[in-house]
Every structure is written in structure tokens, then in C-alpha cells.
Amino acid sequence: MVKGIDCSTPLTASTAAKIAKQGYEFAARYLVPSSYAWKRLTAAEANAITVAGMQLISVFETTANRPVGGATAGTEDGKAALNEAQTIGQPTGSAIYFAVDYDAQPKDFAAIEQYLKAAAEQIPGYAAGVYGSYSVIEEMFKRKACDVFWQTYAWSYGKKSEHANVFQYKNNVMVAGVAVDLNESYGGEGWWNTKEEEEPTMSQEDAEKIIRFLSAAWFAATTKEDKAEFNRLADEVRKAAGVPTKS
């Protein structure tokens, strides 16, 4: 389980660092058009959050009950979310959550399902997720409307879905001078950061040759310290070649 926050206030490098220092490992922020600039995640902010050592979770929300607009609204919002994700450099393979931020009733579930499925069609390469109450999470999981699930305690009446990748358990808490909601995640949440994948600086063939020499030195070593150092050097060579380390 990992602790994190979500907030509508854009984070600066300073506030992101202060939040991370308090033990929070991810920040969920709004992936919305420029008309919602007051809460919009930008590339600069995404980088500041990454530099602070936190992961990002992207959520799309314009109005609380937008998903009752069904497939038409989902198509529009999916296109908008894709544009924002590409603009800020969110990598494919991560998730975009779409918020159902009200006490949705069973009569709304069909429209919400249509909304989510339509939005998902517009974000190729990204996992589609839903934020909502216990009943929304349970029903959308059953209907296979999306891939990942973020439950809020609100309107959940003390129930917690076993399908939740993220769980929001408290609202409006001040952390580092910012009003945030508190969350915990359980894996598979589709978070991301702005770090670029580093290209290997050494071929695997050369790495294997060097490691053979280091292996011979390891067997010749007479102290634990020397053996540990040869292991460390071998792992550094593996990293340079993009090969998984042994330690």
C-alpha cells in the first residue's frame, strides 16, 4: 500500500517537494482543457512532481455528473483527455481516469457505462479508468466498462471494493499548505512520471565480456568486501547495457 494525494490546486516544485517529504508517493491531478486552467495539469507541473520523487495519476473531470451524458459526452471527453495527455507528455501504457463525482444511482449506470466505453475508444494506448463510489466501481467492473478503478469513500456507506486500485479515504486535508484529499493505492493504478527511458550505453555483447572478467576476479577475491565490490561493478555494467541486475 502506497500513500498519495489528489488536489485541484496546481503544485509548484516547492509544494511538491514538501508533500513528498511527508511520505506521499503519488499525486493525482486533473487532465483537463485550458478552459479549466485553475486546476489543469501542465507539463511543467508534471515534471516538478516527478523531480520531487512522486508518481502521477491523471483524472479527467469537467463537471461532477458529466458521465450521465453517455456515449456522446464520453467521446468528446476522451478526445480532450487524449489531447491533454499528449500535450504534457504522459506516456502510453499509463491510465486516464474519468470521474463520476456524485452519488450516482442505478438509473445512471447504463449512461455511465456508455460514457466510459466511448471515452476509452478515444485514448488508444492508455488504460481507461473510473473514479467513483463503491456502487460505481462495483457496477463498472461487472460491466467491464474500463480497466482500472479509483474508489472514493464518499457515497460508499463504509463499503470498500476489492477491485479498487486506488482508494480515496479523506477529503480536504491541509498538507504543505495545500488542500488535498488523501488516498492509498494497491498496485496496477496506471501512474506515470516524466522520466525518459535511458538508452543503453553499452552493447549486451560487450557487457557479457566484461562480466566474465569480473566473474573471474570475484572467484579470486579473498574478502567479502572485494566480492561485494565486483558484484556492484557487474551490476553497473548490466545497467549500462540495459540488462536486469542480479541484486
Side-chain angles (χ1 to χ4, degrees), residues 42-84:
T42 63
E45 183 190 354
N47 189 60
I49 291 170
T50 297
V51 170
M54 292 189 289
Q55 301 289 332
L56 287 128
I57 289 178
S58 296
V59 57
F60 186 96
E61 179 182 357
T62 53
T63 56
N65 65 345
R66 172 71 169 169
V68 297
T72 299
T75 298
E76 293 175 358
D77 290 356
K79 289 179 179 178
L82 178 64
N83 180 66
E84 292 300 312

Side-chain angles (χ1 to χ4, degrees), residues 61-145:
E61 179 182 357
T62 53
T63 56
N65 65 345
R66 172 71 169 169
V68 297
T72 299
T75 298
E76 293 175 358
D77 290 356
K79 289 179 179 178
L82 178 64
N83 180 66
E84 292 300 312
Q86 292 176 335
T87 297
I88 65 174
Q90 178 175 342
T92 54
S94 57
I96 300 173
Y97 290 81
F98 294 86
V100 181
D101 202 4
Y102 73 105
D103 190 8
Q105 299 300 304
K107 64 181 177 61
D108 301 330
F109 290 162
I112 293 170
E113 176 189 3
Q114 293 164 9
Y115 172 88
L116 291 171
K117 288 181 175 179
E121 290 179 357
Q122 303 303 318
I123 55 170
Y126 296 94
V130 63
Y131 164 95
S133 66
Y134 171 84
S135 61
V136 168
I137 300 303
E138 289 289 302
E139 191 66 24
M140 294 307 113
F141 177 84
K142 184 171 69 176
R143 294 175 182 236
K144 299 180 180 176

